[in-house]
Amino acid sequence: MQDFLSNTVALSRLQFAVTAIFHMLWPVLTTGMGIYLVIIEGLWLKTRNLDYYHHARFWARLYVLNFGIGVATGLPMAFQFGLNWAPFSESVGDFFGTVLGFEGTMAFMLEASFLGIMLFGWDRVPPLIHYLATILVAIGANLSTFWILSANSWLQTPAGGIFVDGKFVVQDYFAAIANPFMVNSFLHMFFATLETSMFVIGGISAWCILTDRQPQFFARSLQVILVVVMAVAPLQIFIGHLSAEQVSVHQPAKLAAMEALWETVPAKTPAAWSVVALPNDKAEKNDWELSIPGALSYILELKPQLDKPIQGLKDWAPVDRPRMVGLIYYSFRIMVAIGLFFAALMAVTVLQWLRGKLKPEIISQQKWLLRAWVFAAPLGYLAVETGWIVRCVGRQPWIVYGEMRTAESASNLPPGEILFSLTGLSVMYIVFLIATLYFGSRIIRNGPDLTLPAPRGSEASLWGTVTKHETNRRPAEIAEVKE
């Protein structure tokens, strides 16, 4: 323990892990819920059903709560690159800093600029302009995901330039942005945020139905998100499989850690898939293991025997391979298990829908199904967090894969200073979490305001009626005009 507390690199990694894990809780919901708000407002404009309007107003309140906390928790992450990871920033800043700048100027500013119109512009702008603002908010949130995943994917598969005397020189920005991991990584995260958001909305809706809080209103929410999940859940599993295939090509050491595979499996032989195991890093073996013979061959190549060998962890020197194999191994399995559970819950719910069991007047009778949705609500967060653990811990000991080691990238700070900032950030994040749970629960318990009238002029035209603006004047001036 004493060695850990005096290890600058370990403490800086722990601080970044704490800030990243906590910050990620909030953008996950805003990026996916933004798309839901686009869908629900589109249904309002098409049908003029006031129920959809009330849905848009209600869920937007949870959106803005997450947006605000996400901004506050994201700022320390940016500062850490200059404080805790100055050598890294100096080495790759020409590309990495530029991409993060794109995220701030393009994505965050777009989302923030139109958020006010989305929240407060219902009676101030025409319906189509308001809908455009909602769309731009959703685009901004997901554009942020694109730039963050592009930057992180570059760390996994650096491209578009060369390292000269320890400094990355960009030769092709487009090649660096569109690095080999970028497309699948962005799609995997995009569908992860969308799926997580849908199951959060579905879980909240299920809880409100179970507790008899406006069950008809929330039954509609559940039906809308179910349509989205029907497409997203299978696609997420497919994209996740493609991402795993890319790992096997570009980061074989990470794949070996994901499977706790110590010995190389030669070509022309079947590879067993480990279901559960107890990896032992020191002994370089699994103390015990339950596996399915030949299953990994089918997972990777859809064949009973491998065309290419799968390298084991022993093929790399201990300093060149990931540590904490057990953490990587089980994080990967938790993520996969949650994805499969989501797909199964979606399939069962669709079956009940086809049987007519989800009608608003009788949906409350499906208590076992509704409880399953409540149980599923937080699981998406766990899947996202464990997925990022696999992605980042599995990349070690490299901060830029194959080019720059993490141990070379940390600032030489006194351990006491890092402990101080880590403690302060942890306390601040706990306060944020308590505040978010408090205000979020208030929003959910108070429920939607079904007495809200439709926006003025929305019945007549999608362009609405524009009220002539009058400059604010003092009461004395108004009295003079009347006289």
Side-chain angles (χ1 to χ4, degrees), residues 193-329:
T193 59
L194 185 55
E195 189 173 32
T196 298
S197 300
M198 295 305 103
F199 276 94
V200 168
I201 295 171
I204 293 172
S205 300
W207 180 81
C208 290
I209 295 170
L210 281 170
T211 55
D212 198 28
R213 298 171 185 269
Q214 298 171 325
Q216 290 195 342
F217 178 90
F218 288 103
R220 189 181 294 275
S221 289
L222 193 59
Q223 291 173 350
V224 172
I225 64 101
L226 185 57
V227 174
V228 180
V229 172
M230 286 170 59
V232 172
L235 278 173
Q236 176 67 323
I237 294 174
F238 176 68
I239 296 298
H241 175 72
L242 294 182
S243 297
E245 287 183 341
Q246 277 194 323
V247 169
S248 68
V249 173
H250 296 281
Q251 295 180 335
K254 180 189 290 187
L255 177 67
M258 288 161 55
E259 297 300 332
L261 191 66
W262 299 95
E263 305 290 345
T264 296
V265 181
K268 306 303 180 183
T269 60
W273 179 65
S274 172
V275 181
V276 290
L278 185 60
N280 187 329
D281 290 50
K282 291 184 179 180
E284 297 186 334
K285 67 174 186 177
N286 297 330
D287 290 339
W288 59 266
E289 181 177 10
L290 175 64
S291 59
I292 302 174
L296 187 57
S297 306
Y298 282 99
I299 291 173
L300 291 178
E301 298 184 4
L302 300 177
K303 295 176 182 179
Q305 295 183 340
L306 296 168
D307 285 342
K308 298 178 181 179
I310 303 177
Q311 291 179 273
L313 286 166
K314 288 184 179 181
D315 282 8
W316 291 270
V319 295
D320 293 331
R321 66 191 185 209
R323 299 181 182 181
M324 297 186 287
V325 174
L327 176 64
I328 301 169
Y329 176 86

